[in-house]
Amino acid sequence: MGDLNTIAIVLVVILVSMTIALSVFSRRFTRTTADFYLAGRKVGSFSNASAISGDYLSAASFLGVAAAVYASGLDGVWYAAGFAGGFMVVVFFIASPLRRFGEYTVPDFAYGRFGTNRMRLVSVVGVLATCLFYMAPQMYGAGTTWKVLVGSGLFGMDAYNTGVVVVGLIIMLYVAVGGMKGTTLNQIVQFWWLAFAMILTLLFVTFGGVQNTAKGDLMRFNYAEYLQTESDGYLMAPGTLTVAELEDPAVYSQVEIAMTEATKNNAGAATLEEEMAKIDAAMAAGAPDDTVNVVVFQKNKLHQLKNDLLGTEDALKFNQPGARYDAFGQFSMVLALVLGTAGLPHILNRYYTNPSGSAARRSTFWVLVFIGVFYILSPMVGLAGRSMVRAAVDSGHAPATADYVGGLLVKSDALMPTIAQIAGGEILMGIVAAGAFAAMFSTLAGLLIASASSVGHDVYEKYINPNATEKQKVFVGKSAVVFFAMLAILIGYLIPATGLNTAYPALIAMMVTWAFAVGAGAFVPMLMTGIWWKGTTERGAIAGMLVGGGGSVIIIFMNMFKALTIIPADATGIVGFLAGLSFPTLFTFPAAVLAIIIVSKLDGQLPKNVDEIWMRIHGNAHERWEKEHGLDKVSGLFDKGTK
């Protein structure tokens, strides 16, 4: 364990050193606001695609997608499909028009399209809400990864809070010093590091394999074979029961059935006896309210035929939907991921760094290639983990840094470092650990830039001090980075302090999807109608943002309060219904679009220069030149012919 942590820490230190060095190098390129926020609009298509991919592939993608497939089978694959599919909306409907419109930020677009200060300020609030929701899982991932990797704290803090503070300060330093130029260079390096870590892990499990002493051979990952094997068996998952519940003979008997199923492909009766002995020991030593890790069959939430704790007749298979969500929750989650990508301010801001609209479109093509491959590989690693972790536990080769029950990881988020250690030893685990930090660094950096630009550019420069010098503008931007980094650290600290970390089984994936839901409600209806429907008015756009974004935030907090028992679990009526929605997008997105259409029709007050705005968004370069010189009129044709 000591060697493992030492190698991993050394690789993380190397990554951090590269990050700081690139930021210091980029300091010379941050003299103006265009430099600080947009890297001078000189980022090429391939480079920007790498940076966007690094910005997008957060800890939830690098650690969470493989873990979700490992824990929930097909339902976990939907995370990969949703994350990857979101850029189709961006490339077809938003990227090129947004870049052609120019400016710096999404609030800039909102102001330029609709022409009022209140539209800009409402957009700023939406940006900050989305970014803060997205910062939360990154900071929680930072704390938990530090806890696993290092296991101890600094300056009197525990390991979790140390990780939150250290990661927050590192990101604050390199974003404040390097601006968007340094952030771009770092995101490029970090993307290729985490992509290399994912590819290398899959290569090791495919060609290296895992020794399985029970079967007496070397297991190597074969996708078709593993998928068939796992789909023929039940989808088992770790669960917790109190000592008091386990003392009920009927419950204990059901647990034994599940343990028998979980261990039948391992060493047989000896393993079953060992697992039941651990449960018996925990029961003997624990108080009635203490929890004990057990294995349970996952119920089918799409077809709940029975209400008892266990039962193989209705238990899920690996390739069946319904492990995590019912039909509404499943569809709403995928819709949030697909639409939410087009509403993430830190992603959309990156398109302003391209030199042109066509370059923005090319960037998105490469992004689709990069993240498409990544989200194909992640579920494959998750599938490999289903059998290989069990084999490693059975043969005694599983890392001692993780907890297991019935051959399964108690915390599925530990899959990536665990499978890396099993298949590739300490060095591969170190590469994966550094990849996890790279994912957090790159996403947090993008979020800090987006938040800082909303305050520094959209508020300070436009309203507080319109005559500010470039030096003052950059100083305010850097100060905003420091403020939001400190706020992110506070959010990371509050997650376990409020008990939120124990309220949800897969908190990182849940919180990321919340951020996508807020972005999908607040920005996507406004952007889609603002770009593609000339009849959208300023009042309509604001109504849509308040209904979509505000409604999403309210429902998400209600769901949190229910998970924390602030709202009773048996609450009924509209409160109980809304609090039970894990993801609100299936309601909030169409409600926002409907609000925009109805209010715009009733309002009818279009911007006076709506035709010029439309040409700027949609016209090609030649059309815009003709418009500028009056040659788009019939008389212009005669003028042109007389030259």
Side-chain angles (χ1 to χ4, degrees):
M1 179 176 172
D3 292 339
L4 167 68
N5 285 348
T6 299
I7 293 174
I9 290 170
V10 167
L11 289 172
V12 171
V13 169
I14 291 173
L15 179 68
V16 171
S17 300
M18 292 170 58
T19 292
I20 295 174
L22 287 171
S23 297
V24 172
F25 167 76
S26 303
R27 187 178 181 182
R28 69 187 70 178
F29 303 107
T30 58
R31 294 188 178 91
T32 68
T33 50
D35 294 333
F36 186 75
Y37 294 127
L38 301 178
R41 302 189 195 271
K42 298 177 182 178
V43 183
S45 299
F46 189 87
S47 298
N48 203 29
S50 299
I52 291 171
S53 300
D55 207 352
Y56 187 65
L57 296 176
S58 64
S61 294
F62 185 70
L63 300 176
V65 171
V69 174
Y70 173 83
S72 304
L74 180 62
D75 276 13
V77 177
W78 279 112
Y79 275 102
F83 283 134
F87 273 97
M88 299 303 293
V89 177
V90 177
V91 71
F92 283 125
F93 301 110
I94 292 178
S96 189
L98 198 66
R99 175 59 190 91
R100 276 200 298 265
F101 193 77
E103 304 299 340
Y104 285 66
T105 64
V106 175
D108 269 342
F109 170 83
Y111 174 80
R113 170 64 176 86
F114 300 106
T116 67
N117 291 327
R118 63 182 174 183
M119 187 69 217
R120 185 197 294 275
L121 294 176
V122 170
S123 299
V124 168
V125 173
V127 168
L128 297 181
T130 306
C131 288
L132 291 175
F133 267 100
Y134 214 152
M135 285 179 190
Q138 311 309 316
M139 299 310 296
Y140 179 68
T144 52
T145 303
W146 181 280
K147 187 175 180 179
V148 172
L149 183 63
V150 180
S152 60
L154 301 173
F155 308 112
M157 296 183 292
D158 62 19
Y160 170 85
N161 287 328
T162 299
V164 168
V165 172
V166 169
V167 170
L169 292 179
I170 291 172
I171 298 300
M172 179 186 72
L173 175 65
Y174 94 62
V175 175
V177 171
M180 181 60 93
K181 180 72 173 181
T183 299
T184 298
L185 293 175
N186 277 305
Q187 286 174 336
I188 292 171
V189 171
Q190 288 154 3
F191 164 69
W192 287 108
W193 187 307
L194 64 91
F196 172 71
M198 182 63 71
I199 293 169
L200 200 61
T201 301
L202 186 60
L203 290 176
F204 266 86
V205 298
T206 302
F207 298 104
V210 174
Q211 188 69 39
N212 184 359
T213 54
K215 295 184 177 181
D217 59 4
L218 188 67
M219 297 176 61
R220 288 191 174 93
F221 176 61
N222 179 291
Y223 181 81
E225 177 186 336
Y226 273 50
L227 182 60
Q228 181 64 51
T229 301
E230 292 300 324
S231 298
D232 288 342
Y234 296 114
L235 184 61
M236 314 294 290
T240 57
L241 293 172
T242 65
V243 172
E245 288 172 328
L246 284 168
E247 288 174 346
D248 183 340
V251 174
Y252 186 89
S253 175
Q254 290 176 319
V255 169
E256 194 167 22
I257 293 171
M259 282 295 187
T260 302
E261 183 69 26
T263 58
K264 71 178 184 180
N265 293 324
N266 295 340
T271 302
L272 173 62
E273 291 173 1
E274 291 173 1
E275 293 289 349
M276 295 308 298
K278 293 178 184 177
I279 293 174
D280 292 340
M283 290 174 60
D289 292 336
D290 288 346
T291 57
V292 180
N293 291 324
V294 298
V295 167
V296 297
F297 295 103
Q298 290 205 15
K299 289 184 180 180
N300 193 325
K301 293 181 175 63
L302 287 174
H303 306 288
Q304 295 184 19
L305 303 179
K306 297 180 70 175
N307 293 320
D308 49 36
L309 179 66
L310 305 171
T312 56
E313 308 95 273
D314 302 316
L316 276 167
K317 300 294 181 75
F318 183 85
N319 62 343
Q320 293 176 334
R324 282 178 179 256
Y325 312 109
D326 57 16
F328 179 89
Q330 185 76 80
F331 190 79
S332 191
M333 182 268 285
V334 175
L335 188 66
L337 297 180
V338 170
L339 294 176
T341 303
L344 297 178
H346 66 297
I347 299 297
L348 297 179
N349 281 6
R350 287 224 56 94
Y351 284 102
Y352 289 118
T353 66
N354 279 124
S356 66
S358 59
R361 195 163 50 246
R362 288 194 300 271
S363 288
T364 310
F365 167 78
W366 283 112
V367 170
L368 288 170
V369 173
F370 295 158
I371 69 170
V373 171
F374 185 89
Y375 285 122
I376 290 172
L377 300 184
S378 296
M380 294 175 72
V381 173
L383 174 60
R386 290 292 298 182
S387 295
M388 289 189 165
V389 171
R390 285 199 298 264
V393 171
D394 178 52
S395 61
H397 294 149
T401 51
D403 297 321
Y404 312 88
V405 58
L408 298 172
L409 283 163
V410 172
K411 295 291 185 183
S412 60
D413 285 337
L415 174 65
M416 278 297 296
T418 301
I419 194 70
Q421 163 70 354
I422 291 170
E426 300 165 0
I427 295 178
L428 181 59
M429 193 275 181
I431 293 173
V432 167
F437 277 102
M440 289 179 282
F441 287 170
S442 57
T443 301
L444 275 169
L447 292 169
L448 287 180
I449 283 285
S451 301
S453 63
S454 289
V455 172
H457 173 70
D458 293 309
V459 177
Y460 176 78
E461 295 179 24
K462 303 300 181 182
Y463 305 110
I464 297 176
N465 188 4
N467 298 318
T469 64
E470 287 295 327
K471 186 176 181 179
Q472 288 175 320
K473 294 176 183 178
V474 173
F475 174 78
V476 170
K478 293 183 177 183
S479 300
V481 167
V482 173
F483 171 79
F484 284 107
M486 292 300 177
L487 187 57
I489 291 172
L490 177 62
I491 292 172
Y493 172 78
L494 289 175
I495 290 172
T498 58
L500 200 62
N501 59 320
T502 59
Y504 294 94
L507 184 60
I508 291 178
M510 179 69 76
M511 288 194 294
V512 166
T513 310
W514 285 340
F516 275 68
V518 173
F523 290 114
V524 179
M526 181 272 289
L527 289 171
M528 294 285 281
T529 56
I531 290 173
W532 297 104
W533 182 38
K534 191 184 290 186
T536 308
T537 69
E538 179 254 357
R539 289 187 177 89
I542 289 178
M545 294 187 70
L546 293 177
V547 170
S552 297
V553 171
I554 290 171
I555 293 173
I556 289 168
F557 271 105
M558 291 178 70
N559 187 258
M560 284 187 205
F561 293 155
K562 184 176 182 179
L564 295 171
T565 68
I566 297 173
I567 294 177
D570 58 353
T572 57
I574 187 65
V575 172
F577 174 74
L578 293 178
L581 299 178
S582 299
F583 310 113
T585 307
L586 196 56
F587 280 141
T588 55
F589 178 78
V593 173
L594 194 62
I596 290 173
I597 294 173
I598 292 174
V599 175
S600 293
K601 287 289 188 181
L602 293 174
D603 178 29
Q605 299 297 314
L606 297 177
K608 294 181 180 179
N609 60 338
V610 66
D611 290 331
E612 287 76 8
I613 293 171
W614 215 244
M615 180 63 68
R616 184 175 177 183
I617 295 174
H618 294 288
N620 60 37
H622 182 67
E623 289 172 332
R624 290 194 296 274
W625 183 85
E626 287 188 334
K627 181 76 175 178
E628 181 182 350
H629 291 82
L631 300 179
D632 58 322
K633 310 296 183 183
V634 174
S635 59
L637 298 177
F638 293 101
D639 294 338
K640 187 176 180 180
T642 59
K643 292 181 180 179

